[in-house]
């Protein structure tokens, strides 16, 4: 197996264009497990850890641009204020060792329905910046990035360069159901972001369908019914939970049944909206 180690982004793109079969490697917390278990035997590994710019993040015009190599630890330590939903999700990932190596870009590249980055990225309205040597940059909204189970919307010669996440303009919450509190793949998960200036609520559901997804009908419902200056109405909260559960398309597997996942999505939707609404009201809404 060849090992390619570019030190610039342009060299990384050239390597991927010349060797589309080369498997990108960032933190390796998915890739090395797959190689060790013989799930994959790529013709080459394209190690991106030498491309320093991928580890950087910046904020401009209300948008945080996270390089594909930004780790969960960096998100937790440096971005809890700007991206609270993603930071909450990052705190639930694996163990300190996995959070030190594992990256948001790698989570996107793996595109597992259970990946913890996806629900907060969906709820916040993120977009993924991908690039190829021959066709340049494409910006893909997060909701269009997940094509199927572990199938990201990447062409064979493309790499993820960054993810652009609007800086939180309101409260955000992430909730995850697992069989214990650490080192656990989500049975299902849910993220919610209030966008008070747009009078909009964003959602993201994880591990309860073949891909991470938004609960669009639930978002539209709240967009039409929420009174942003009043306490939460109990009937509205219940309906929101029902619509989120209806958006899920879960399966029975070793981690949980479809029925349990649907139920849990409704519970998490109600809880996260309640928490976010408490914060919103505490921030001075009438
Ligand atoms: C013990 C353990 C616990 C874990 N716990 C969790 C958890 O709680 N929650 C969770 O979501 N995940 C968990 N994971 C999975 C893994 O840590 C995450 O998916 C992590 O985000 C992967 O990031 P990475 O940088 O290590 O990716 P890598 O393993 O380097 O890559 C992952 C995939 O993305 C592709 N890729 C990487 N970078 C790019 C790029 N720039 N462009 C295109 N493709 C790219 C790779 O080719 C590969 O297909 C766990 C893994 C382990 C081993």
């Amino acid at each position: 197996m060849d090992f390619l180690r570019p030190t610039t982004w342009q060299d990384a793109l050239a390597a991927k264009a010349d060797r589309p079969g080369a498997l990108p490697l960032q933190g390796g917390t998915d890739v090395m497990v797959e190689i060790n278990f013989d799930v994959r035997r790529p013709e080459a590994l394209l190690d991106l850890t030498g491309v320093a710019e991928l580890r950087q993040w910046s904020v401009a015009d209300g948008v945080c641009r996270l390089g594909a190599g930004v780790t969960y630890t960096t998100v937790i330590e440096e971005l809890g204020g700007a991206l609270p939903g993603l930071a909450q999700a990052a705190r639930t990932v694996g163990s300190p060792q996995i959070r030190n190596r594992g990256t948001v870009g790698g989570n996107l590249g793996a595109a597992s329905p259970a990946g913890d980055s996806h629900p907060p990225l969906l709820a916040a309205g993120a977009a993924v910046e991908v690039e190829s040597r021959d066709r340049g940059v494409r910006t893909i909204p997060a909701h269009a990035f997940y094509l199927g189970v572990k199938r990201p919307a990447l062409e064979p010669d493309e790499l993820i360069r960054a993810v652009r996440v609007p800086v939180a303009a309101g409260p955000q919450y992430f909730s995850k159901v697992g069989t214990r509190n650490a080192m656990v793949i989500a049975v299902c998960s849910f993220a919610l972001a209030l966008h008070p200036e747009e009078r909009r609520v964003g959602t993201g559901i994880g591990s309860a369908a073949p891909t991470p997804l938004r609960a669009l009908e639930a978002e539209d419902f709240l967009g039409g019914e929420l009174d942003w200056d009043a306490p939460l109405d109990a009937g509205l909260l219940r309906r929101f939970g029902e619509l989120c559960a209806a958006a899920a398309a879960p399966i029975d597997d070793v981690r949980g049944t479809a029925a349990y996942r649907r139920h849990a999505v409704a519970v998490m939707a109600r809880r996260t909206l309640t928490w976010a609404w408490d914060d919103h009201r505490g921030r001075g809404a009438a």
Side-chain angles (χ1 to χ4, degrees), residues 9 23-34 40 48 54 68 72 92-95 98 101-110 114-117 154 158-161 176 183-185:
W9 179 245
L23 185 68
L25 175 78
Q26 193 68 64
T29 60
D30 278 319
V31 168
M32 295 315 297
V33 174
E34 289 178 352
R40 281 199 204 232
L48 297 172
L54 295 179
Y72 294 110
T92 76
V93 171
S95 61
I98 297 296
R101 293 289 309 181
T103 63
V104 177
N107 215 224
L108 284 163
D116 288 321
S117 304
L154 286 173
E158 280 178 328
L159 292 171
I160 302 167
R161 185 168 191 172
K176 171 173 170 179
M183 292 289 279
V184 71
I185 302 175

